[in-house]
Amino acid sequence: MEETQREAAWHEEEEQAEVAIWKYAFGFTEMAVVKCAIELGIADAIESHGSPMTLSELSSALTCAPSPLYRIMRFLMHRGIFKEELTTHGFPGYAQTSLSRRLIRNGERSMAALILLESSPVMLAPWHSLSARVLANETAPFDVAHGEDVWSYAAENPAHSKLINEAMACGARKVVPAMIHGCPEVFDGLSSLVDVGGGNGTTLQMLVKAFPSLQGINFDLPHVVSVAAESIGVEHVGGDMFSSVPKADAAFLQWVLHDWGDNECIQILKKCREAIPGDKGKVIIVEAVIEEAETDKLTDVRLALDMIMMAHTNTGKERTFKEWGFVLEKAGFSRYTVKPIPAPQSVIEAFP
């Protein structure tokens, strides 16, 4: 009886493996087809129409042939990205879902910019050198693909820099509201805040709107802030976070420290500590915290982010609770707290 159960379990595992392996053989297709949907503007067209659209209506709106569009939509509907509903005339049509609305270019919950960045040829090329990075542990895959690191490349290629800033703004629009609603007390008593590596200032715009008494300093590389739009309550300052950080009640770092190794993180954090008051200042860090045994719904996202850091940065990584404690202690912080929010990241408050 026991032997029969073991054999049945083995056969079940084999059957599951036979199905699962195809996902890894063709896994790239999901990213490619979703990117195609964004570039075509499928979700934007259906949203503008205001109701389900037939294949003919959608192909006319997108000025493309119905046949290949039908195949794209069949793929996306099978994955639940779009759904079928009757049009106002009673014909089968394509309708939006909560997921497809995240593909609208300028939608409130849009993730389009982040998808376009990660699926761009520039960011895809380094993945082909991931195994070489593991074997040699020397040259980063991005450097192998492009001959320089991601920051130097962005400085020399304004279009790619714009893509990065739009993607980071996209991430901010997801995470900052979760902070504002989940732990607003983090900003209690602050009259000024410097966003270190703040990109185009999207994060500060949202924070200043939510907390009107807050004065924001958007601090990033000169070529980044030079193209940032002016905004009430936000001052754009160019500079190098490894040299100095503008003074403020608190320093804010979102998706910055995971780009760097421990030594660089400690150096950045020391500069942030120098920029804040010793008695009441703090550093607010918004980053993933990985725990080896975690199994929540966003575990896969955090582990994928760690692989992205390996492919796209020289020394970056996502850190465990213990690893965050190490860099914060070495940077001279006496204590810190970690607050989970409904996002892949957590909010870490570090105090001098």
Side-chain angles (χ1 to χ4, degrees), residues 40-56:
L40 290 174
I42 294 173
D44 299 83
I46 297 174
E47 190 73 10
S48 296
H49 190 71
S51 62
M53 300 178 74
T54 64
L55 177 64
S56 175

Side-chain angles (χ1 to χ4, degrees), residues 175-186 339-342 347:
V175 175
V176 174
M179 285 185 64
I180 291 170
H181 296 296
C183 48
E185 68 279 1
V186 168
K339 299 182 178 183
I341 55 175
V347 177

Side-chain angles (χ1 to χ4, degrees), residues 23-341:
K23 178 179 72 173
Y24 300 105
F26 299 138
F28 67 92
T29 59
E30 289 193 347
M31 172 183 273
V33 177
V34 169
K35 178 185 181 183
C36 173
I38 294 170
E39 291 175 336
L40 290 174
I42 294 173
D44 299 83
I46 297 174
E47 190 73 10
S48 296
H49 190 71
S51 62
M53 300 178 74
T54 64
L55 177 64
S56 175
E57 289 172 334
L58 187 57
S59 65
S60 295
L62 301 178
T63 63
C64 64
S67 180
L69 179 61
Y70 167 77
R71 292 161 65 187
I72 291 289
M73 295 304 294
R74 179 174 61 185
F75 182 96
L76 294 169
M77 285 180 62
H78 180 70
R79 282 155 180 77
I81 297 176
F82 292 93
K83 63 184 177 181
E84 182 179 276
E85 284 185 3
L86 295 180
T87 67
T88 53
H89 299 291
F91 299 111
Y94 302 115
Q96 298 275 54
T97 65
S98 293
L99 188 50
S100 70
R101 286 194 172 92
R102 283 161 171 78
L103 305 184
I104 297 172
R105 284 284 194 139
N106 297 308
E108 185 180 336
R109 298 185 177 184
S110 175
M111 291 287 281
L114 187 57
I115 294 168
L116 290 176
L117 172 67
E118 295 300 336
S119 63
S120 67
V122 171
M123 300 306 259
L124 286 178
W127 289 103
H128 295 289
S129 301
L130 193 61
S131 58
R133 167 69 182 273
V134 176
L135 290 169
N137 195 30
E138 293 175 356
T139 307
F142 194 96
D143 291 44
V144 172
H146 303 293
E148 57 188 341
D149 67 27
V150 64
W151 315 118
S152 300
Y153 186 92
E156 297 167 6
N157 294 270
H160 188 68
S161 180
K162 185 172 184 287
L163 202 57
I164 290 175
N165 292 330
E166 289 174 348
M168 294 305 98
C170 169
R173 283 190 288 270
K174 301 286 290 182
V175 175
V176 174
M179 285 185 64
I180 291 170
H181 296 296
C183 48
E185 68 279 1
V186 168
F187 302 97
D188 284 351
L190 299 180
S191 59
S192 60
L193 181 73
V194 55
D195 187 358
V196 181
N200 63 12
T202 297
T203 292
L204 278 180
Q205 289 171 22
M206 290 188 286
L207 289 175
V208 167
K209 184 177 179 181
F211 306 103
S213 62
L214 202 61
Q215 289 295 310
I217 303 169
N218 183 47
F219 180 63
D220 212 315
L221 294 168
H223 76 270
V224 174
V225 297
S226 66
V227 294
E230 294 300 318
S231 178
I232 296 173
V234 177
E235 177 190 2
H236 299 295
V237 177
D240 179 359
M241 63 186 174
F242 289 100
S243 298
S244 65
V245 170
K247 302 285 186 183
D249 288 345
F252 184 90
L253 300 115
Q254 177 178 245
W255 266 5
V256 171
L257 297 178
H258 73 166
D259 291 329
W260 304 96
D262 288 351
N263 291 336
E264 294 93 342
C265 269
I266 292 166
Q267 188 178 349
I268 295 166
L269 286 166
K270 283 182 175 179
K271 294 302 176 184
C272 289
R273 186 165 59 83
E274 291 171 5
I276 61 175
D279 54 346
K280 61 176 183 177
K282 62 181 171 181
V283 175
I284 305 165
I285 302 164
V286 184
E287 292 278 9
V289 178
I290 293 178
E291 292 303 335
E292 302 300 335
E294 70 174 340
T295 55
D296 72 23
K297 293 178 181 179
L298 291 169
T299 297
D300 282 351
V301 178
R302 297 184 187 104
L303 296 177
L305 280 168
D306 189 46
M307 293 297 97
I308 290 169
M309 292 303 103
M310 188 182 288
H312 291 162
T313 71
N314 292 0
T315 55
K317 63 179 181 178
E318 303 300 339
R319 291 176 168 81
T320 63
F321 185 88
K322 184 177 179 180
E323 288 170 327
W324 279 117
F326 172 78
V327 296
L328 288 167
E329 182 182 341
K330 290 295 183 181
F333 291 90
S334 61
R335 62 187 177 91
Y336 63 94
T337 61
V338 177
K339 299 182 178 183
I341 55 175

